[in-house]
Structure formats: C-alpha cells, structure tokens
Amino acid sequence: MGYKILLVDDDTELVKMLSKYFERKKYRVITAQNGKEAIEKLQTAPDIILLDINMPQMDGLEVCRKIRDKISCPILFLTARVEEEDRVNGLLSGGDDYILKPFSLKELDARITAHLKREQRHSQNTEFRFHGELCIDYGQKNVQINEEIIEFTKLEYEIIELLSMHPGQVFDKERIYEITCGYEAEGDSRVITELIRRIRKKLGNYSDIEYIETVWGMGYKWKK
C-alpha cells in the first residue's frame, strides 16, 4: 500500500466516496467521524490528514490545534466556509491548506500529491546551516539557538526554511504564502505578517539578533 490518509469528516457519504477514490489510487485510507476519534487514530501515523472544519462537539480547528504539536504531516482542511477570517484562523492553527466544498476530486488529488512531494523533499534534505549562534537542521526540521531547540509550528518553520535557504533574497508575502502553502494566496497575505511576527518573537526570546528583515513595500528577507 502507498501513503496513509487520515480522513476526518462526519459526512458518511463523502467519506465513503473519498475512501473509494483514494483506495483506487493505492492510498491506505483511515477514517474518523469526529475530532475525538481523529485524535485516537493518530497512532496509525498518517502521511497526510484531510480534516473537516464544521463538525459537532469538536470542530476541525480545535482538532488541528490539539494535534499539531504531535504530528508533522500536512493537514488539509475540507470546508464550506469561504470567509477570509476562517482561512486565516485555519492556517494560524497549524493547517497547511484549504479546499472548499464542493470540490473536484482531481484538484484534491493534486493538492495531496503536491504536499506529499514537498514532505518527501524536506525529509531528504539533511543539511545543517549555521547563522552565528543559530543552527537550522533541515533534515530534522528544527531550529536551535545555543543548542536550545525552539518550538515552531509547521508553517512557521517552513517560512524560516524558505528565507534562510535564500539569504538576502526578498520574498513578498504572497510569494511566501504560495511556496509554503502550495497554492494561490490571494487575499491571505496577512497570515504571513502574523506568522513573521510570531517567528521574530520566538527567536527574540533566545537572541537579540534580528534574522528576518522587513524590506518596506517589498516583503521579507533573511539577513546575510
């Protein structure tokens, strides 16, 4: 069998349809109908999670916040919500992507494939890079200052990885979002502003050095 997908949705017909589709694609599909069951199914070590937002008792955003520190695999939200605030909250809670219901199976398949390929590239990257007292381990996906590991969310880390691997290069907010999230980012650039603020605050708790520089009117860059 191929990659494992954890599919979390209380719509039983949708779950049946998606399970049948992805099993034909040689995925192993593990299903859960609510947040509590999804947390229990983490022991199966999924490679990617498809997570409905609008579920009773514990919605998808709360599930994501509870599990994000326990797993590093991509989390894709399935939702009928279209408000920008919902997309922002979802990504800040630790999600990696959004796909709106009703959706095309081919589009969902393409999004999943893109995220899994990105994860595979990251896992093959074992390079260390030092920036003074800061060390980034691209294989283990962690950041240390003076050998103290700093906790970052998945998206926060990916922003650090992108900028630090291209020191001095300016990336605008839309481009950062597109690269780290893997799809068109129109209307969501303020997510990057908030994530950069969080990254700076966390780094600032361990060092007085400013690693990420704002280039006004253009974007952000990693200082050489």
Side-chain angles (χ1 to χ4, degrees), residues 96-114:
D96 297 280
D97 203 344
Y98 255 84
I99 186 159
L100 299 179
K101 297 178 179 179
F103 48 77
S104 157
L105 285 174
K106 288 185 178 180
E107 180 187 2
L108 177 58
D109 194 0
R111 296 272 188 96
I112 289 173
T113 299

PDB file of all heavy atoms in Angstrom, residues 96-114:
ATOM      1  N   ASP A  96      -2.249  23.396   6.769  1.00  0.00           N
ATOM      2  CA  ASP A  96      -1.340  23.647   5.654  1.00  0.00           C
ATOM      3  C   ASP A  96      -2.050  24.081   4.381  1.00  0.00           C
ATOM      4  O   ASP A  96      -1.425  24.662   3.500  1.00  0.00           O
ATOM      5  CB  ASP A  96      -0.536  22.376   5.335  1.00  0.00           C
ATOM      6  CG  ASP A  96       0.349  21.965   6.499  1.00  0.00           C
ATOM      7  OD1 ASP A  96       1.418  22.558   6.652  1.00  0.00           O
ATOM      8  OD2 ASP A  96      -0.053  21.071   7.265  1.00  0.00           O
ATOM      9  N   ASP A  97      -3.326  23.801   4.277  1.00  0.00           N
ATOM     10  CA  ASP A  97      -4.022  24.079   3.025  1.00  0.00           C
ATOM     11  C   ASP A  97      -5.523  24.059   3.274  1.00  0.00           C
ATOM     12  O   ASP A  97      -5.987  23.559   4.299  1.00  0.00           O
ATOM     13  CB  ASP A  97      -3.650  23.032   1.967  1.00  0.00           C
ATOM     14  CG  ASP A  97      -3.857  23.517   0.538  1.00  0.00           C
ATOM     15  OD1 ASP A  97      -4.562  24.528   0.348  1.00  0.00           O
ATOM     16  OD2 ASP A  97      -3.332  22.880  -0.392  1.00  0.00           O
ATOM     17  N   TYR A  98      -6.263  24.630   2.349  1.00  0.00           N
ATOM     18  CA  TYR A  98      -7.716  24.680   2.386  1.00  0.00           C
ATOM     19  C   TYR A  98      -8.249  24.181   1.060  1.00  0.00           C
ATOM     20  O   TYR A  98      -7.704  24.514   0.006  1.00  0.00           O
ATOM     21  CB  TYR A  98      -8.179  26.129   2.528  1.00  0.00           C
ATOM     22  CG  TYR A  98      -8.668  26.501   3.891  1.00  0.00           C
ATOM     23  CD1 TYR A  98      -7.777  26.893   4.885  1.00  0.00           C
ATOM     24  CD2 TYR A  98     -10.022  26.477   4.187  1.00  0.00           C
ATOM     25  CE1 TYR A  98      -8.216  27.257   6.127  1.00  0.00           C
ATOM     26  CE2 TYR A  98     -10.476  26.837   5.440  1.00  0.00           C
ATOM     27  CZ  TYR A  98      -9.580  27.227   6.414  1.00  0.00           C
ATOM     28  OH  TYR A  98     -10.035  27.574   7.647  1.00  0.00           O
ATOM     29  N   ILE A  99      -9.307  23.410   1.086  1.00  0.00           N
ATOM     30  CA  ILE A  99     -10.022  23.126  -0.147  1.00  0.00           C
ATOM     31  C   ILE A  99     -11.509  23.243   0.162  1.00  0.00           C
ATOM     32  O   ILE A  99     -11.999  22.702   1.146  1.00  0.00           O
ATOM     33  CB  ILE A  99      -9.660  21.746  -0.744  1.00  0.00           C
ATOM     34  CG1 ILE A  99     -10.330  21.569  -2.095  1.00  0.00           C
ATOM     35  CG2 ILE A  99      -9.993  20.612   0.202  1.00  0.00           C
ATOM     36  CD1 ILE A  99      -9.670  20.529  -2.982  1.00  0.00           C
ATOM     37  N   LEU A 100     -12.192  24.010  -0.664  1.00  0.00           N
ATOM     38  CA  LEU A 100     -13.583  24.356  -0.404  1.00  0.00           C
ATOM     39  C   LEU A 100     -14.544  23.316  -0.972  1.00  0.00           C
ATOM     40  O   LEU A 100     -14.366  22.836  -2.093  1.00  0.00           O
ATOM     41  CB  LEU A 100     -13.906  25.735  -0.998  1.00  0.00           C
ATOM     42  CG  LEU A 100     -13.103  26.919  -0.440  1.00  0.00           C
ATOM     43  CD1 LEU A 100     -13.513  28.202  -1.146  1.00  0.00           C
ATOM     44  CD2 LEU A 100     -13.293  27.056   1.062  1.00  0.00           C
ATOM     45  N   LYS A 101     -15.567  22.976  -0.195  1.00  0.00           N
ATOM     46  CA  LYS A 101     -16.636  22.101  -0.659  1.00  0.00           C
ATOM     47  C   LYS A 101     -17.664  22.921  -1.434  1.00  0.00           C
ATOM     48  O   LYS A 101     -17.966  24.047  -1.036  1.00  0.00           O
ATOM     49  CB  LYS A 101     -17.336  21.432   0.527  1.00  0.00           C
ATOM     50  CG  LYS A 101     -16.459  20.523   1.361  1.00  0.00           C
ATOM     51  CD  LYS A 101     -17.278  19.975   2.539  1.00  0.00           C
ATOM     52  CE  LYS A 101     -16.462  19.030   3.397  1.00  0.00           C
ATOM     53  NZ  LYS A 101     -17.253  18.519   4.548  1.00  0.00           N
ATOM     54  N   PRO A 102     -18.237  22.390  -2.491  1.00  0.00           N
ATOM     55  CA  PRO A 102     -17.878  21.131  -3.151  1.00  0.00           C
ATOM     56  C   PRO A 102     -16.582  21.298  -3.940  1.00  0.00           C
ATOM     57  O   PRO A 102     -16.286  22.381  -4.446  1.00  0.00           O
ATOM     58  CB  PRO A 102     -19.068  20.885  -4.091  1.00  0.00           C
ATOM     59  CG  PRO A 102     -19.578  22.250  -4.413  1.00  0.00           C
ATOM     60  CD  PRO A 102     -19.355  23.073  -3.174  1.00  0.00           C
ATOM     61  N   PHE A 103     -15.802  20.250  -4.040  1.00  0.00           N
ATOM     62  CA  PHE A 103     -14.510  20.346  -4.695  1.00  0.00           C
ATOM     63  C   PHE A 103     -14.373  19.257  -5.757  1.00  0.00           C
ATOM     64  O   PHE A 103     -15.090  18.264  -5.771  1.00  0.00           O
ATOM     65  CB  PHE A 103     -13.363  20.214  -3.685  1.00  0.00           C
ATOM     66  CG  PHE A 103     -13.514  19.051  -2.746  1.00  0.00           C
ATOM     67  CD1 PHE A 103     -13.238  17.750  -3.152  1.00  0.00           C
ATOM     68  CD2 PHE A 103     -13.947  19.258  -1.445  1.00  0.00           C
ATOM     69  CE1 PHE A 103     -13.374  16.692  -2.283  1.00  0.00           C
ATOM     70  CE2 PHE A 103     -14.095  18.190  -0.561  1.00  0.00           C
ATOM     71  CZ  PHE A 103     -13.810  16.911  -0.991  1.00  0.00           C
ATOM     72  N   SER A 104     -13.408  19.475  -6.632  1.00  0.00           N
ATOM     73  CA  SER A 104     -13.088  18.495  -7.660  1.00  0.00           C
ATOM     74  C   SER A 104     -12.158  17.439  -7.063  1.00  0.00           C
ATOM     75  O   SER A 104     -11.182  17.767  -6.382  1.00  0.00           O
ATOM     76  CB  SER A 104     -12.403  19.199  -8.838  1.00  0.00           C
ATOM     77  OG  SER A 104     -11.624  18.302  -9.595  1.00  0.00           O
ATOM     78  N   LEU A 105     -12.448  16.167  -7.319  1.00  0.00           N
ATOM     79  CA  LEU A 105     -11.572  15.101  -6.841  1.00  0.00           C
ATOM     80  C   LEU A 105     -10.176  15.234  -7.433  1.00  0.00           C
ATOM     81  O   LEU A 105      -9.178  14.965  -6.763  1.00  0.00           O
ATOM     82  CB  LEU A 105     -12.163  13.738  -7.184  1.00  0.00           C
ATOM     83  CG  LEU A 105     -13.344  13.273  -6.330  1.00  0.00           C
ATOM     84  CD1 LEU A 105     -13.916  11.980  -6.879  1.00  0.00           C
ATOM     85  CD2 LEU A 105     -12.918  13.091  -4.879  1.00  0.00           C
ATOM     86  N   LYS A 106     -10.103  15.655  -8.693  1.00  0.00           N
ATOM     87  CA  LYS A 106      -8.792  15.830  -9.324  1.00  0.00           C
ATOM     88  C   LYS A 106      -7.998  16.933  -8.644  1.00  0.00           C
ATOM     89  O   LYS A 106      -6.781  16.815  -8.455  1.00  0.00           O
ATOM     90  CB  LYS A 106      -8.968  16.125 -10.808  1.00  0.00           C
ATOM     91  CG  LYS A 106      -9.422  14.938 -11.641  1.00  0.00           C
ATOM     92  CD  LYS A 106      -9.458  15.273 -13.126  1.00  0.00           C
ATOM     93  CE  LYS A 106      -9.860  14.052 -13.949  1.00  0.00           C
ATOM     94  NZ  LYS A 106      -9.913  14.360 -15.403  1.00  0.00           N
ATOM     95  N   GLU A 107      -8.682  18.016  -8.259  1.00  0.00           N
ATOM     96  CA  GLU A 107      -7.981  19.104  -7.567  1.00  0.00           C
ATOM     97  C   GLU A 107      -7.494  18.635  -6.200  1.00  0.00           C
ATOM     98  O   GLU A 107      -6.350  18.894  -5.809  1.00  0.00           O
ATOM     99  CB  GLU A 107      -8.884  20.319  -7.399  1.00  0.00           C
ATOM    100  CG  GLU A 107      -8.178  21.471  -6.672  1.00  0.00           C
ATOM    101  CD  GLU A 107      -9.092  22.631  -6.345  1.00  0.00           C
ATOM    102  OE1 GLU A 107     -10.297  22.551  -6.635  1.00  0.00           O
ATOM    103  OE2 GLU A 107      -8.589  23.618  -5.791  1.00  0.00           O
ATOM    104  N   LEU A 108      -8.368  17.941  -5.458  1.00  0.00           N
ATOM    105  CA  LEU A 108      -7.967  17.437  -4.151  1.00  0.00           C
ATOM    106  C   LEU A 108      -6.794  16.474  -4.290  1.00  0.00           C
ATOM    107  O   LEU A 108      -5.823  16.542  -3.531  1.00  0.00           O
ATOM    108  CB  LEU A 108      -9.147  16.729  -3.482  1.00  0.00           C
ATOM    109  CG  LEU A 108      -8.866  16.086  -2.115  1.00  0.00           C
ATOM    110  CD1 LEU A 108      -8.367  17.103  -1.116  1.00  0.00           C
ATOM    111  CD2 LEU A 108     -10.115  15.381  -1.599  1.00  0.00           C
ATOM    112  N   ASP A 109      -6.851  15.599  -5.271  1.00  0.00           N
ATOM    113  CA  ASP A 109      -5.776  14.646  -5.528  1.00  0.00           C
ATOM    114  C   ASP A 109      -4.471  15.385  -5.822  1.00  0.00           C
ATOM    115  O   ASP A 109      -3.401  15.036  -5.309  1.00  0.00           O
ATOM    116  CB  ASP A 109      -6.164  13.752  -6.708  1.00  0.00           C
ATOM    117  CG  ASP A 109      -5.277  12.529  -6.843  1.00  0.00           C
ATOM    118  OD1 ASP A 109      -4.353  12.359  -6.025  1.00  0.00           O
ATOM    119  OD2 ASP A 109      -5.492  11.746  -7.791  1.00  0.00           O
ATOM    120  N   ALA A 110      -4.558  16.444  -6.626  1.00  0.00           N
ATOM    121  CA  ALA A 110      -3.363  17.218  -6.981  1.00  0.00           C
ATOM    122  C   ALA A 110      -2.785  17.925  -5.764  1.00  0.00           C
ATOM    123  O   ALA A 110      -1.562  17.981  -5.589  1.00  0.00           O
ATOM    124  CB  ALA A 110      -3.704  18.234  -8.072  1.00  0.00           C
ATOM    125  N   ARG A 111      -3.655  18.460  -4.910  1.00  0.00           N
ATOM    126  CA  ARG A 111      -3.181  19.140  -3.695  1.00  0.00           C
ATOM    127  C   ARG A 111      -2.465  18.144  -2.779  1.00  0.00           C
ATOM    128  O   ARG A 111      -1.405  18.434  -2.226  1.00  0.00           O
ATOM    129  CB  ARG A 111      -4.358  19.757  -2.948  1.00  0.00           C
ATOM    130  CG  ARG A 111      -5.100  20.869  -3.676  1.00  0.00           C
ATOM    131  CD  ARG A 111      -4.473  22.241  -3.407  1.00  0.00           C
ATOM    132  NE  ARG A 111      -5.317  23.270  -3.972  1.00  0.00           N
ATOM    133  CZ  ARG A 111      -6.235  23.953  -3.294  1.00  0.00           C
ATOM    134  NH1 ARG A 111      -6.443  23.693  -2.021  1.00  0.00           N
ATOM    135  NH2 ARG A 111      -6.931  24.902  -3.881  1.00  0.00           N
ATOM    136  N   ILE A 112      -3.051  16.981  -2.607  1.00  0.00           N
ATOM    137  CA  ILE A 112      -2.447  15.949  -1.757  1.00  0.00           C
ATOM    138  C   ILE A 112      -1.084  15.537  -2.308  1.00  0.00           C
ATOM    139  O   ILE A 112      -0.102  15.447  -1.567  1.00  0.00           O
ATOM    140  CB  ILE A 112      -3.389  14.735  -1.647  1.00  0.00           C
ATOM    141  CG1 ILE A 112      -4.602  15.093  -0.800  1.00  0.00           C
ATOM    142  CG2 ILE A 112      -2.658  13.528  -1.061  1.00  0.00           C
ATOM    143  CD1 ILE A 112      -5.672  14.020  -0.776  1.00  0.00           C
ATOM    144  N   THR A 113      -1.028  15.291  -3.610  1.00  0.00           N
ATOM    145  CA  THR A 113       0.230  14.892  -4.241  1.00  0.00           C
ATOM    146  C   THR A 113       1.305  15.953  -4.041  1.00  0.00           C
ATOM    147  O   THR A 113       2.460  15.640  -3.718  1.00  0.00           O
ATOM    148  CB  THR A 113       0.016  14.640  -5.741  1.00  0.00           C
ATOM    149  OG1 THR A 113      -0.940  13.579  -5.911  1.00  0.00           O
ATOM    150  CG2 THR A 113       1.322  14.250  -6.425  1.00  0.00           C
ATOM    151  N   ALA A 114       0.937  17.224  -4.217  1.00  0.00           N
ATOM    152  CA  ALA A 114       1.902  18.321  -4.061  1.00  0.00           C
ATOM    153  C   ALA A 114       2.447  18.373  -2.641  1.00  0.00           C
ATOM    154  O   ALA A 114       3.658  18.540  -2.428  1.00  0.00           O
ATOM    155  CB  ALA A 114       1.243  19.650  -4.425  1.00  0.00           C
TER     156      ALA A 114
END
